Amino acid sequence: MKEETRRVEVLKISGKTRAKEHDLVVKESPVTVFLNDVELVTLLCTPRDVEYLAVGFLYSEGIVKSKKDIKRLYGDRKERAVWVETAGKTKLEDTVPGKRFITTGCGKGLSFIDSSEFKGKLKKRSGRKIPSSLVGSLMKEFQKRSEVYRATGGVHSAGLANARGIVAFNEDIGRHNAIDKVLGESVLKGVKTNDLILMTSGRVSSDILVKAARARIPVIVSRSAPTDLSVKLARDLGITLVGFARGSRMNVYSHTWRIQSASSESR
Amino acid sequence: MKEETRRVEVLKISGKTRAKEHDLVVKESPVTVFLNDVELVTLLCTPRDVEYLAVGFLYSEGIVKSKKDIKRLYGDRKERAVWVETAGKTKLEDTVPGKRFITTGCGKGLSFIDSSEFKGKLKKRSGRKIPSSLVGSLMKEFQKRSEVYRATGGVHSAGLANARGIVAFNEDIGRHNAIDKVLGESVLKGVKTNDLILMTSGRVSSDILVKAARARIPVIVSRSAPTDLSVKLARDLGITLVGFARGSRMNVYSHTWRIQSASSESR
């Protein structure tokens, strides 16, 4: 956890009591992504697994579609930079207007994708059903793994899971970055995501749906709330959106048929 | 609250119980800001007080410095657009590379400001001290006012406060948007912020510090965690950063002299 946290002095006040202590806070660093030697973007992030982050960012932007598209990848945490070389030229490095910064909350600053782009792929979305008890147990495992969150309270978590458990997990100060990190890991490891569950600690806004759609993920499970636009996109895109997943409780906002009730599991 | 929320059908699961109900979720809409007739940026936000949001965004970007800089302002919620005309030409509309989208988490996608920009202003920062009990009572009032949060669980809140209470308050799906809304309101109402407390429900990352520094705000109070970079910036910029403000408890990360203990208040 040394990579992700820093000890700082803090004055702790509780009523009339004041005490100087040391506490862990999460690290935030700028990391610059170079695409084919062009400076593409600087992300403010938790500086761990920056290669995953860079690849996940490019994947979410639609620039990198699979591991084959990446010819070379080099991350230098000290230099706070990741160099990505793609097999062919991409449309992006020609159109980028120079230095760009994306802060801790940002997911998609360079472009925006209309849900219509994905509509043709609707029928290919996974038909697998999931028992609601699995959602509960995955969320339990998800929270157990949130080490940096427990130490600092200052990060979001993201994960990819199947029926056997969580297959990718990461944390970042940005909820979009955390998701890009697990997507980047799956791209680099050649793990297919079209039958996986995307887990997030954060609110589900439209941009999270766009990321899931790109990765052809059929189910999103969040501990937190969705927006109306994310519910609409989930319905349009054939994605099951589960919010407020806490213990055995959850709200299912779209394509509810994928979440099997506890009673039908025992049949 | 009709502006900010939408009723959606949801399947509520609790153990073996499944029930179709209706629930409120927060609205998320794209709102496009035109600066002197140039399309500047599209923000994904909660579509209320979009004029405040647009002005606050331009203020955070350093484009609008006071009410005097704004010649005309017109927001059309149906068109999901805000037109801002400035008194003089700004540097921004010439350099903007075309359509830009900023999603719910984004605060600063167009530029990034070095803390050194603000260093000269350090000595001008307010010297006023604040009793720790005030932090507690303001946070209590802050949470009471979070109507959309209580209804949907899906928004962040931001406020500006003085010793008498909260003078500006807003909510948005984006933690940066919520802050831009209260800053925009203060700009349009000509309220000086250089002696106010900035309150936020969200994590404090470096970009939040940059917003506060622009507004010459001396104190930031958050319910949530800071990053190491935001602590460093707060120390450099002379800003008192309070995190985890809950009841009579709080962590003070920088310039602790501004937060007076409960015992010294009674003297």
Side-chain angles (χ1 to χ4, degrees):
Chain A
M1 285 230 297
K2 270 198 177 170
E3 292 174 273
E4 301 107 314
T5 60
R6 186 187 302 279
R7 254 166 77 91
V8 298
E9 199 181 81
V10 54
L11 172 68
K12 295 208 170 185
I13 298 177
S14 176
K16 291 185 181 180
T17 314
R18 291 164 80 98
K20 272 197 181 164
E21 292 182 22
H22 282 86
D23 233 353
L24 291 177
V25 295
V26 65
K27 280 189 195 170
E28 175 188 5
S29 290
V31 170
T32 301
V33 179
F34 292 85
L35 177 64
N36 299 326
D37 287 329
V38 175
E39 184 178 332
L40 185 68
V41 70
T42 297
L43 304 161
L44 282 159
C45 64
T46 306
R48 200 191 109 171
D49 295 332
V50 292
E51 297 88 351
Y52 290 169
L53 175 62
V55 170
F57 180 83
L58 294 172
Y59 182 71
S60 287
E61 291 283 334
I63 300 305
V64 163
K65 296 209 187 329
S66 76
K67 202 185 168 181
K68 281 181 291 182
D69 295 336
I70 299 168
K71 209 169 130 192
R72 257 187 293 195
L73 174 67
Y74 175 68
D76 187 327
R77 214 179 314 122
K78 272 198 186 158
E79 292 288 329
R80 296 173 172 177
V82 184
W83 288 265
V84 185
E85 204 181 312
T86 53
K89 225 187 168 195
T90 78
K91 60 183 181 192
L92 204 57
E93 68 260 31
D94 284 341
T95 55
V96 166
K99 271 200 175 190
R100 287 278 329 286
F101 273 85
I102 293 196
T103 58
T104 59
C106 297
K108 300 205 48 58
L110 293 174
S111 60
F112 185 75
I113 300 132
D114 203 280
S115 69
S116 58
E117 188 189 330
F118 299 103
K119 286 231 169 137
K121 293 172 186 164
L122 255 181
K123 282 166 197 162
K124 295 179 196 160
R125 196 89 55 200
S126 167
R128 191 190 297 272
K129 293 180 180 180
I130 294 163
S132 61
S133 59
L134 177 65
V135 174
S137 63
L138 285 175
M139 197 40 97
K140 204 173 164 184
E141 185 188 347
F142 186 68
Q143 288 188 261
K144 262 194 195 152
R145 290 185 65 169
S146 307
E147 283 183 28
V148 181
Y149 180 80
R150 274 202 303 280
T152 68
V155 290
H156 276 295
S157 316
L160 291 171
N162 61 26
R164 289 177 301 282
I166 293 171
V167 296
F169 180 86
N170 228 307
E171 293 179 280
D172 198 283
I173 38 169
R175 69 191 155 100
H176 301 89
N177 288 345
I179 291 175
D180 280 348
K181 281 179 177 177
V182 294
L183 292 179
E185 182 178 351
S186 73
V187 169
L188 287 172
K189 292 186 174 167
V191 174
K192 282 198 176 171
T193 50
N194 61 355
D195 214 7
L196 296 181
I197 300 163
L198 176 65
M199 307 186 70
T200 170
S201 61
R203 286 157 298 127
V204 179
S205 44
S206 57
D207 36 357
I208 306 293
L209 262 291
V210 171
K211 285 181 194 293
R214 276 237 188 270
R216 296 177 53 203
I217 285 170
V219 181
I220 301 174
V221 173
S222 168
R223 244 191 84 75
S224 188
T227 68
D228 70 332
L229 187 53
S230 69
V231 171
K232 186 189 175 301
L233 285 173
R235 288 174 181 173
D236 287 356
L237 295 167
I239 294 173
T240 298
L241 176 55
V242 181
F244 295 105
R246 293 163 189 196
S248 70
R249 288 169 168 268
M250 66 204 70
N251 288 354
V252 191
Y253 293 91
S254 58
H255 300 277
T256 57
W257 56 268
R258 278 205 192 85
I259 310 296
Q260 283 184 306
S261 67
S263 54
S264 63
E265 288 160 40
S266 53
R267 265 179 234 161
Chain B
M1 287 231 298
K2 270 197 175 170
E3 292 174 273
E4 301 106 314
T5 61
R6 187 186 303 277
R7 254 167 77 90
V8 298
E9 199 181 82
V10 54
L11 172 68
K12 295 206 170 187
I13 299 177
S14 175
K16 291 186 180 180
T17 315
R18 291 164 81 97
K20 270 196 182 165
E21 292 181 24
H22 282 86
D23 233 353
L24 292 176
V25 294
V26 66
K27 281 190 195 169
E28 175 187 5
S29 290
V31 169
T32 301
V33 179
F34 292 84
L35 177 64
N36 299 326
D37 287 328
V38 175
E39 184 178 331
L40 184 68
V41 70
T42 297
L43 304 160
L44 282 159
C45 63
T46 306
R48 201 191 108 171
D49 295 331
V50 291
E51 297 89 350
Y52 290 168
L53 175 63
V55 171
F57 179 84
L58 293 173
Y59 182 71
S60 287
E61 291 283 334
I63 301 305
V64 163
K65 296 208 185 331
S66 76
K67 203 186 167 179
K68 280 182 292 180
D69 295 338
I70 299 169
K71 208 169 130 193
R72 257 187 293 195
L73 174 67
Y74 175 67
D76 188 328
R77 213 179 315 123
K78 271 197 186 161
E79 291 288 329
R80 295 174 172 175
V82 183
W83 287 266
V84 185
E85 203 180 311
T86 53
K89 225 186 168 196
T90 78
K91 59 182 183 194
L92 204 56
E93 67 261 32
D94 284 341
T95 55
V96 165
K99 271 201 175 190
R100 288 278 329 287
F101 274 85
I102 293 196
T103 58
T104 60
C106 297
K108 297 206 50 58
L110 293 174
S111 59
F112 184 75
I113 300 132
D114 203 280
S115 68
S116 58
E117 188 188 332
F118 299 103
K119 286 230 170 138
K121 292 172 187 166
L122 255 181
K123 284 168 196 160
K124 296 179 195 160
R125 196 89 57 201
S126 168
R128 191 190 297 271
K129 292 180 180 179
I130 294 163
S132 61
S133 58
L134 177 65
V135 173
S137 61
L138 285 175
M139 197 40 99
K140 204 172 165 184
E141 185 188 346
F142 186 68
Q143 288 189 260
K144 262 194 195 153
R145 290 186 66 169
S146 307
E147 284 183 27
V148 182
Y149 180 79
R150 276 201 303 278
T152 68
V155 291
H156 277 294
S157 315
L160 291 171
N162 60 27
R164 289 177 300 283
I166 293 171
V167 296
F169 180 86
N170 228 307
E171 293 179 279
D172 198 283
I173 37 170
R175 70 192 154 99
H176 302 89
N177 288 345
I179 291 175
D180 280 347
K181 282 179 177 177
V182 295
L183 292 179
E185 182 178 351
S186 73
V187 169
L188 287 172
K189 293 186 173 167
V191 174
K192 283 197 175 170
T193 51
N194 61 354
D195 214 7
L196 297 180
I197 300 163
L198 175 64
M199 306 186 70
T200 171
S201 62
R203 286 157 298 127
V204 179
S205 44
S206 58
D207 35 359
I208 307 294
L209 263 290
V210 171
K211 284 181 195 293
R214 276 236 188 271
R216 297 177 52 203
I217 285 171
V219 181
I220 300 173
V221 174
S222 168
R223 244 192 85 73
S224 189
T227 67
D228 70 332
L229 188 52
S230 70
V231 171
K232 185 189 175 302
L233 285 174
R235 289 174 180 172
D236 287 355
L237 295 167
I239 293 173
T240 298
L241 176 55
V242 181
F244 295 105
R246 294 165 189 194
S248 70
R249 288 169 168 268
M250 65 204 70
N251 288 354
V252 190
Y253 294 92
S254 58
H255 300 277
T256 57
W257 56 270
R258 278 204 191 86
I259 309 296
Q260 283 184 306
S261 68
S263 53
S264 62
E265 288 159 40
S266 53
R267 266 178 232 161

